[in-house]
Amino acid sequence: MHEPQISRRSIFKLVAAASAAGSLLPAGAEPPKPLSKHVNNPFSDPDYNNPTIPWDKPMVASELATLTVLVDLILPADEESPAASAIDLPDFLNEWVGAPYAENREDHDTIRGGVSWINTHAYKLHGREFKDLAEAQQTAILDTICDPAKAAPELAYGARFFQKLRMLTLGGYYSHPATWKALGYVGNVPIAGPYPGVPEEIIKMLGLEGL
């Protein structure tokens, strides 16, 4: 089996395109690193008897710092749920984009390229990396890319990045046990007394009356 190929070229294209457009990479931004370890047999991965991650997490500290700010702007803490960063969403994203599967490879390029894009865009507008901006400046940038249908043509890549980041953030966040309460999921909770059965309204909703 051939070792999975990494689309590094597309990442470098993004960086080159940003430089060609006259933008500057922010201080501290580093080029994405390639994966250095791969799974040889995807049919034996994951190993449920040995739940370890068989691939490297590719993102570097500066990228994770930017993602920490972004995911908390998408899902801040409220009365019932923690902020996205409080349940290690950036680490989940790092694991996700490091996975050696075709869809994850595409997300790897989109997320890492997008982090570079938003830092470059923030630097062009305000002279600082995205994470170092005031929250009002951060949300103003996100307002311009939150809807791909309405984003300006020159912001199209940023809009696609933010759309993908929101989807991955929501998926990771609501698959974590700490957020299930917000969904109304009770889980396996013991109840006192005999089992009361399925509520009548649920039986009626499913059309199972009389069965």
Side-chain angles (χ1 to χ4, degrees):
M1 176 177 292
H2 295 292
E3 189 176 60
Q5 298 298 310
I6 306 168
S7 182
R8 296 170 57 192
R9 180 175 298 177
S10 58
I11 298 175
F12 295 141
K13 282 181 178 178
L14 288 171
V15 175
S19 299
S23 57
L24 297 173
L25 286 175
E30 302 173 11
K33 293 182 178 179
L35 302 182
S36 60
K37 184 171 60 180
H38 305 292
V39 178
N40 292 323
N41 184 357
F43 295 106
S44 63
D45 170 35
D47 181 357
Y48 292 108
N49 294 319
N50 182 27
T52 58
I53 304 170
W55 52 76
D56 287 343
K57 297 178 181 179
M59 286 192 280
V60 297
S62 60
E63 294 171 307
L64 295 173
T66 299
L67 284 177
T68 296
V69 173
L70 283 165
V71 299
D72 281 352
L73 288 170
I74 295 171
L75 289 168
D78 62 17
E79 296 77 11
E80 293 188 333
S81 305
S85 66
I87 58 170
D88 294 330
L89 238 299
D91 185 64
F92 162 78
L93 294 169
N94 201 7
E95 178 182 337
W96 178 273
V97 301
Y101 307 112
E103 181 181 354
N104 300 70
R105 291 301 176 87
E106 292 182 7
D107 293 345
H108 171 273
D109 292 358
T110 301
I111 296 300
R112 299 191 77 182
V115 168
S116 293
W117 179 89
I118 203 164
N119 276 325
T120 300
H121 188 58
Y123 195 87
K124 288 174 65 178
L125 294 177
H126 304 292
R128 289 181 292 174
E129 294 182 48
F130 183 81
K131 66 180 176 60
D132 295 329
L133 301 181
E135 183 171 330
Q137 293 172 319
Q138 293 167 343
T139 55
I141 289 176
L142 298 185
D143 285 344
T144 64
I145 59 174
C146 65
D147 186 347
K150 298 179 180 177
E154 64 272 21
L155 303 180
Y157 182 80
R160 289 195 298 274
F161 154 67
F162 194 53
Q163 185 178 41
K164 173 61 71 173
L165 179 63
R166 278 183 308 194
M167 186 191 75
L168 293 178
T169 299
L170 290 171
Y173 186 81
Y174 286 111
S175 60
H176 193 286
T179 67
W180 291 350
K181 182 180 179 182
L183 296 175
Y185 176 69
V186 176
N188 294 323
V189 177
I191 58 175
Y195 175 59
V198 179
E200 287 297 327
E201 61 270 24
I202 300 299
I203 292 176
K204 184 177 181 179
M205 182 181 70
L206 297 175
L208 300 176
E209 303 96 322
L211 296 180

